[in-house]
Amino acid sequence: MIEALTVIINNKTAKLAVIGLGYVGLPVACAFAQAGFDTLGIDILPERVDQINSGVSPIEGDEPGLSQLLSAAVESGRLRAFSDYANLADRDVILIDVETPVDEDHIPQYHALRAALQELGPVLQTGALVIVESTIAPGTIAGLVKPLLEESSGKCVNTDFFLGNCPERVMPGKLLANLTNLSRVVGGGTPQTAAAMCALYRHIVQADLDPADWITAELVKTVENAYRDVQIAFANEVALICEPLGGDVWRVRELVNKSPQRHMHLPGGGVGGHCIPKDPWLLAYSVQDKVVPLRLIPAARAVNDGMPGHVADILVKALAEHGIEPSNARVLVLGYAYLEDSDDTRNSPSAVLIDELKALEMVVRVHDPFVAEYSGDLYNIAEGCQALVLMVKHAAYRHLNFPMLASVMQTPIMLDMRNLFNPVDVTSANFDYYCLGTGYIN
Ligand code: SAJ
């Protein structure tokens, strides 16, 4: 049966579906439709279904090529969206791209995944291939997806249907580029299933497609992001070391990275987004009932989660230099998105900082050119403030008019948590300047 499936994948007569039309699912659905596949999208949000069927992308922010691709796919009739799973009864390949968050105790929340599997099972046609693209804790395909789908479909994996895990590597702002240009680990329930999956992805991916088993695919995705989280935490911890020593972490990093095989990352005001703060916990969860003493991965999470608090500490001290109590402070946070030049605010470190400052009874204003509710005139918003805190290195902040800012502010204090500014530009406008990880803070 897998051979027959591979034939229709190769000649693009296989009928596809994507469940979950968000940051990942929508670009994937568009890419396969553009490649020539009859593609159905399923989403629980009726307004999102309507937007997509009218050729309008529901994804905010600048995603090069996505809007054009979507409208072309819908116009060609190769992409249609629905909310009703009954439309999946004739689908040969079904991709699942639903959210897989963790809760405050770092436990994976698979409600969306379970719901998708419960609804898909009854309509799953014999011989179909189901591929989970969502990021999941290693062991989830074997321990949750397989049994749940077998139960809801009454079918047996590798006999009546085929099951795979192919994690995505997209990133806001580069959704289509990453989808096309980054390699993918392709985890199949059997080598034949992995081969059929590679044949499918070959239609949209120009990079390596590396066949593997389920656990390998699940591990690669969570490990690559846990690895990045640990790297960032190391940079943040070096920043904390440099401050009392009068070092400059940015210069230290530059010179460390001249040493072969060194790739020290960038410190900052925190680690946000929908991947890096979550995926290390998915990896940790996979061994929670095994005797594996995890120390480094949770510690890295604690270091990164502690950075907004460190920024708050720097600010309190900077204000105190001018005899300003937190309860009398008015501060402006520059940047609310989790990443420069993005409108994505998921797990924003600035949101954590703002809560901490408000808990200290500060009046907190926010500016972010990419976030509608904060995209006012920066200089107007800064009026009467005593401090600016740069949290996100949006390009729009690269050339601020510091003399003008100083003229509208009560006491010009600048906290530069991303080493965006030239200290001379800031201090020459009579600002007190504090740059994360440097002797400006001690
Ligand atoms: N950050 C630092 N220092 C760094 C790098 C990042 O503080 O040196 C912070 C960022 O400010 C942000 C957070 O970490 O708040 C995450 O940044 P990111 O560059 O990792 O961006 P993400 O979250 O979009 O990460 C995604 C991931 N891709 C997927 O999970 C599919 C990640 O694996 C990629 O490495 C990253 O995109 C990328 O650079 O493409």
Side-chain angles (χ1 to χ4, degrees), residues 121-179:
V123 300
L124 184 66
Q125 77 171 332
T126 299
L129 167 60
V130 178
I131 302 173
V132 175
E133 293 196 326
S134 304
T135 305
I136 49 182
T140 302
I141 293 285
L144 182 146
V145 176
K146 170 183 173 291
L148 213 159
L149 197 49
E150 286 186 322
E151 185 195 345
S152 63
S153 67
K155 292 178 167 66
C156 184
V157 75
N158 297 337
T159 307
D160 307 317
F161 72 94
F162 306 97
L163 182 58
N165 174 229
C166 186
E168 41 73 26
R169 285 178 168 152
V170 297
M171 176 182 183
K174 301 191 259 184
L175 293 179
L176 285 178
N178 281 16
L179 188 59

Side-chain angles (χ1 to χ4, degrees), residues 238-306:
V238 173
L240 301 180
I241 292 169
C242 286
E243 286 172 2
L245 299 181
D248 176 338
V249 69
W250 312 95
R251 179 70 173 148
V252 166
R253 169 184 177 273
E254 182 189 349
L255 299 179
V256 161
N257 286 347
K258 287 193 170 185
S259 174
Q261 306 307 314
R262 292 338 186 259
H263 306 289
M264 187 172 154
H265 275 39
L266 294 163
V271 173
H274 57 299
C275 304
I276 307 302
K278 173 192 70 154
D279 295 357
W281 292 122
L282 291 175
L283 178 60
Y285 181 77
S286 65
V287 287
Q288 65 155 3
D289 56 358
K290 313 243 185 315
V291 183
V292 177
L294 289 187
R295 293 182 295 274
L296 179 60
I297 290 170
R301 285 276 72 237
V303 168
N304 290 335
D305 281 350

Side-chain angles (χ1 to χ4, degrees), residues 19-270:
I19 299 174
L21 299 174
Y23 276 93
V24 180
L26 183 61
V28 168
C30 291
F32 276 115
Q34 182 196 33
F37 286 93
D38 174 325
T39 305
L40 294 189
I42 291 283
D43 201 285
I44 54 171
L45 300 174
E47 62 274 16
R48 175 167 292 204
V49 168
D50 294 342
Q51 269 184 299
I52 288 167
N53 285 331
S54 55
V56 174
S57 171
I59 290 178
E60 304 298 324
D62 177 21
E63 287 300 342
L66 182 59
S67 293
Q68 298 85 326
L69 193 60
L70 171 59
S71 50
V74 171
E75 228 166 277
S76 69
R78 277 200 294 272
L79 176 60
R80 296 153 344 271
F82 301 92
S83 288
D84 184 351
Y85 277 71
N87 293 286
L88 299 185
D90 68 345
R91 297 291 111 177
D92 302 302
V93 179
I94 301 100
L95 306 182
I96 300 178
D97 286 291
V98 296
E99 62 162 10
T100 52
V102 294
D103 66 11
E104 61 279 358
D105 298 321
H106 317 309
I107 306 297
Q109 299 302 297
Y110 289 140
H111 310 309
L113 181 59
R114 289 176 188 275
L117 296 167
Q118 295 284 16
E119 298 251 17
L120 172 63
V123 300
L124 184 66
Q125 77 171 332
T126 299
L129 167 60
V130 178
I131 302 173
V132 175
E133 293 196 326
S134 304
T135 305
I136 49 182
T140 302
I141 293 285
L144 182 146
V145 176
K146 170 183 173 291
L148 213 159
L149 197 49
E150 286 186 322
E151 185 195 345
S152 63
S153 67
K155 292 178 167 66
C156 184
V157 75
N158 297 337
T159 307
D160 307 317
F161 72 94
F162 306 97
L163 182 58
N165 174 229
C166 186
E168 41 73 26
R169 285 178 168 152
V170 297
M171 176 182 183
K174 301 191 259 184
L175 293 179
L176 285 178
N178 281 16
L179 188 59
T180 308
N181 303 322
L182 295 191
S183 68
R184 303 282 291 263
V185 58
V186 182
T190 65
Q192 295 77 10
T193 302
M197 293 167 67
C198 286
L200 174 74
Y201 285 103
R202 184 47 65 209
H203 290 294
I204 63 168
V205 175
Q206 290 166 16
D208 288 351
L209 292 171
D210 299 306
D213 57 17
W214 291 338
I215 196 71
T216 301
E218 293 169 319
L219 281 165
V220 165
K221 172 66 185 178
T222 49
V223 166
E224 72 187 29
N225 282 348
Y227 174 61
R228 185 166 177 82
D229 196 49
V230 168
Q231 286 182 306
I232 298 167
F234 180 81
N236 283 330
E237 191 141 283
V238 173
L240 301 180
I241 292 169
C242 286
E243 286 172 2
L245 299 181
D248 176 338
V249 69
W250 312 95
R251 179 70 173 148
V252 166
R253 169 184 177 273
E254 182 189 349
L255 299 179
V256 161
N257 286 347
K258 287 193 170 185
S259 174
Q261 306 307 314
R262 292 338 186 259
H263 306 289
M264 187 172 154
H265 275 39
L266 294 163

Side-chain angles (χ1 to χ4, degrees), residues 314-338:
I314 297 169
L315 180 58
V316 167
K317 286 180 194 150
L319 291 164
E321 289 293 309
H322 291 266
I324 301 168
E325 289 298 316
S327 54
N328 296 327
R330 274 183 311 288
V331 302
L332 170 54
V333 174
L334 299 179
Y336 191 78
Y338 84 86

